[in-house]
Amino acid sequence: MAVIGAGVVGCALARRFTLDGARVVVLEKAEEVLDGASKANSAILHTGFDAPVGTLEADCIRAGHAEYREIRERMGLPLLECGALVVAWTAEEAARLPALMDAARANGVDDVAPLTAAETRTLEPRLGAGVAGAFRVPGESLIDPWSAAHAYLAQALINGAELRYGAEVLGGRFEGSWSLATAAGTVAARLVVNAAGLYGDIVEERLTGASTFQIRPRKGQFVVYDKTAAALADHILLPVPGERTKGIVVCRTAWGNLLVGPTAEEQDDRATAALDGATLEMLRQRAEAILPALAGHEVTAVYAGLRPATEEKGYRVRADASRGYIAVGGIRSTGLSAALGLATHVRGLWDEPLRPLADPLWPEMPNLAETAPRDWERPGNGGIVCHCERVTRREVEAALTGPLPARTFAGLKRRTRVTMGRCQGFACGAELAEITAGRLAQPMLPDAATREGGDD
C-alpha cells in the first residue's frame, strides 16, 4: 500500500500498516519529512475534551492520546504532564464554562474540575487582571511534535517500509490495483491512502478526477519567549474556544521555552506562511495581558505554519473500497494528537486480511526535552555545538545517520533543535556547515541558520 505524504498523519499511517503486516511505501514530494503542515504547531497532546461531541475527530484524538501514552516510554518520547486551564476572562465566557465541561465529559474526559477565580489564581498566581473563572483539564500535556512523528516513521522503516523523497504524485490509474505516476517513478499499490495535507484535494483530483473536499489553508503565527519565561506558567493556558478555533494559547514547550499562538488566518497560498509584524505584536500584547510578567522577557523566535482546513469543520476521511482509495483530509490543528488514532481508524477501513508483525523492532528517539537528562550531560558527546539549545556534536552526527537521516537543514533543526535558540545560529552556523558538508540533499547555505530560524 502507498501512503501519500510524510506529515505526522502519514508517518502514523505508515507505522500502523507496517506493524499490521502491509508492505508500505511512503511517497513524499519534498526532500524532507514533516515539511508541510506538520512543521509548525503548538506541540500540545490534547485529550479531546473540546472536540465536537460524537465526531470522528473526538474519537481519534482520544485514541491517539491513549496510544501515545502507551508507547512513548518505549520510544523515548517526552511527555510533560502539566494539565490545562480553560480560563474565562469575562462574565460571558464564564457562563459558557459549564457547557464546555459537559462536552468534555461527553467526550470521555470526566476529570475536568471547575475553579473559581480565586482558585484559578492559586494555581496560576501570575495571571493578569480579569480572571472570571476556569476549569482544569489534567490530561492535557506537552510533547515534542517532531520526535513523535520521526519515531512513528522510523518504526515503519526499520520494520520494512520504504520512503521515497521527491515523489510528488502526478496522477494514477486504477485497474484492480493502482499504478501511480510520481516524480520519482511509477509505483504500484493495491491501496492508496491520501494524507497529502495542504495538497490533499489536488492529489485526490489527480487520482480520481475530482476532489470531494477543498483545502483552505489557515495560517497560524506564533511567538516564542526565552527560556527564562517558562517559569511563569505551570499549566497550558487556554481561552474559552471560539466556533472556528481553539484561540490563542499560552504554554511552555517541552524544550523549556514559553509559546504564544496561534492565530487563525485564512489564505489561498498553500506553500508560504508569511510573518506579519502587526499580528505578532498583537500576540505579544495578548500574551502580556494574560501573564503581565512576560513584559520583562525576551522573544527569541517567531514562526508561522499552515493548517489544512477545508470548507467543513470536521475531518474529511472517506474510503472508496471499489478503487482501493482512502482520503485522510482536513486534519487541522488536532492532527498531532489524533495521528495514531487516525491511523488505527484508517486501517479499519481497509478490509484486507494481514498478518501483524510478531516481534516488531522499536526505535528509541534521542531526548531533546528539558524533562529528562540530555546528551550534553553525558560523557563522550563530542562537545556542545549549539550552546543556546545545548546540542552536542554526537546528537548532530546521529541525526545525519540512521533509518531516517536529516536531508535538509530544516530537517536537522527538527531532529536536534540546533540554531533554534536565542542566537538563531549566529554562533554555531559555521561549525554546522562544516559538519553537514556533503551530507544534506540541500546544502546548508552560509546564512541558512539565521535565515531559516523562524520557519519552524
Side-chain angles (χ1 to χ4, degrees):
M1 59 88 64
V3 175
I4 302 174
V8 63
V9 174
C11 293
L13 286 163
R15 172 182 177 270
R16 172 46 51 206
F17 277 85
T18 299
L19 294 181
D20 281 358
R23 292 182 58 200
V24 175
V25 58
V26 180
L27 305 174
E28 170 54 52
K29 76 171 188 174
E31 289 295 339
E32 181 59 274
V33 302
L34 309 184
D35 219 35
S38 296
K39 70 180 180 181
N41 55 65
S42 53
I44 297 173
L45 184 68
H46 290 294
T47 58
F49 79 93
D50 58 348
V53 177
T55 61
L56 175 63
E57 181 177 7
D59 292 343
C60 289
I61 294 173
R62 186 164 52 245
H65 182 273
E67 187 169 354
Y68 180 89
R69 294 179 64 92
E70 178 186 332
I71 67 175
R72 65 109 183 164
E73 288 189 1
R74 198 165 186 182
M75 289 184 158
L77 298 175
L79 181 71
L80 179 53
E81 298 181 278
C82 55
L85 298 183
V86 179
V87 182
W89 294 92
T90 66
E92 291 76 15
E93 289 182 351
R96 294 180 55 201
L97 295 179
L100 292 172
M101 286 188 283
D102 288 343
R105 296 182 185 107
N107 278 327
V109 184
D110 55 8
D111 56 354
V112 294
L115 299 168
T116 65
E119 290 168 336
T120 306
R121 288 197 174 282
T122 298
L123 291 176
E124 293 290 349
R126 299 177 184 84
L127 286 171
V131 174
F135 66 89
R136 186 169 188 270
V137 191
E140 296 280 298
S141 306
L142 298 168
I143 63 175
D144 176 348
W146 301 316
S147 68
H150 289 143
Y152 305 157
L153 185 53
Q155 187 169 34
L157 295 175
I158 62 177
N159 284 286
E162 179 186 355
L163 170 61
R164 296 189 187 182
Y165 292 104
E168 179 180 359
V169 173
L170 305 173
R173 185 176 67 255
F174 182 79
E175 295 175 344
S177 63
W178 281 98
S179 176
L180 299 175
T182 83
T186 302
V187 174
R190 293 175 61 189
L191 173 70
V192 170
V193 179
N194 173 7
L198 290 159
Y199 297 87
D201 54 345
I202 293 175
V203 168
E204 180 160 295
E205 185 171 2
R206 288 176 179 176
L207 295 180
T208 69
S211 179
T212 56
F213 60 94
Q214 181 183 8
I215 294 295
R216 295 179 177 175
R218 185 176 297 163
K219 181 171 71 175
Q221 301 188 57
F222 295 83
V223 172
V224 181
Y225 282 84
D226 202 358
K227 296 182 187 299
T228 55
L232 298 180
D234 288 331
H235 293 80
I236 301 165
L237 302 176
L238 300 167
V240 173
E243 178 61 29
R244 209 162 50 92
T245 74
K246 292 178 178 295
I248 295 171
V249 179
V250 177
C251 64
R252 291 178 284 164
T253 71
W255 308 297
N257 297 87
L258 190 131
L259 180 74
V260 181
T263 55
E265 307 165 61
E266 308 288 346
Q267 66 174 46
D268 294 328
D269 190 342
R270 300 170 187 250
T272 305
L275 294 166
D276 173 71
T279 302
L280 295 173
E281 180 57 27
M282 178 277 292
L283 280 176
R284 185 167 180 157
Q285 290 180 9
R286 181 59 193 146
E288 292 173 7
I290 294 170
L291 291 173
L294 270 176
H297 293 265
E298 291 187 24
V299 171
T300 58
V302 293
Y303 65 95
L306 296 173
R307 287 102 83 183
T310 73
E311 71 277 23
E312 295 181 11
K313 187 175 181 179
Y315 287 178
R316 310 301 295 275
V317 177
R318 74 173 183 91
D320 183 346
S322 67
R323 304 182 72 167
Y325 174 79
I326 301 175
V328 186
I331 314 302
R332 297 161 287 101
S333 58
T334 54
L336 175 64
S337 303
L340 293 170
L342 264 168
T344 299
H345 173 76
V346 172
R347 170 65 187 96
L349 298 176
W350 193 33
D351 186 18
E352 179 80 9
L354 295 172
R355 180 178 297 175
L357 302 186
D359 189 19
L361 301 173
W362 287 77
E364 184 170 354
M365 307 308 292
N367 173 57
L368 304 178
E370 296 296 326
T371 53
R374 293 279 309 277
D375 192 57
W376 67 269
E377 300 172 89
R378 301 185 179 96
N381 56 43
I384 294 177
V385 176
C386 171
H387 285 265
C388 294
E389 294 297 313
R390 293 180 289 193
V391 183
T392 68
R393 186 172 186 117
R394 180 166 59 190
E395 289 178 307
V396 175
E397 293 284 354
L400 294 167
T401 60
L404 188 59
R407 290 171 55 84
T408 69
F409 186 61
L412 182 65
K413 290 166 62 176
R414 291 193 284 270
R415 286 169 176 79
T416 63
R417 291 196 55 76
V418 289
T419 77
M420 300 182 82
R422 174 182 285 223
C423 86
Q424 294 286 289
F426 179 81
C428 61
E431 185 173 0
L432 286 168
E434 177 265 319
I435 295 173
T436 61
R439 304 172 72 178
L440 297 174
Q442 296 175 356
M444 179 182 169
L445 299 174
D447 64 342
T450 52
R451 184 168 52 80
E452 296 187 17
D455 289 348
D456 295 335

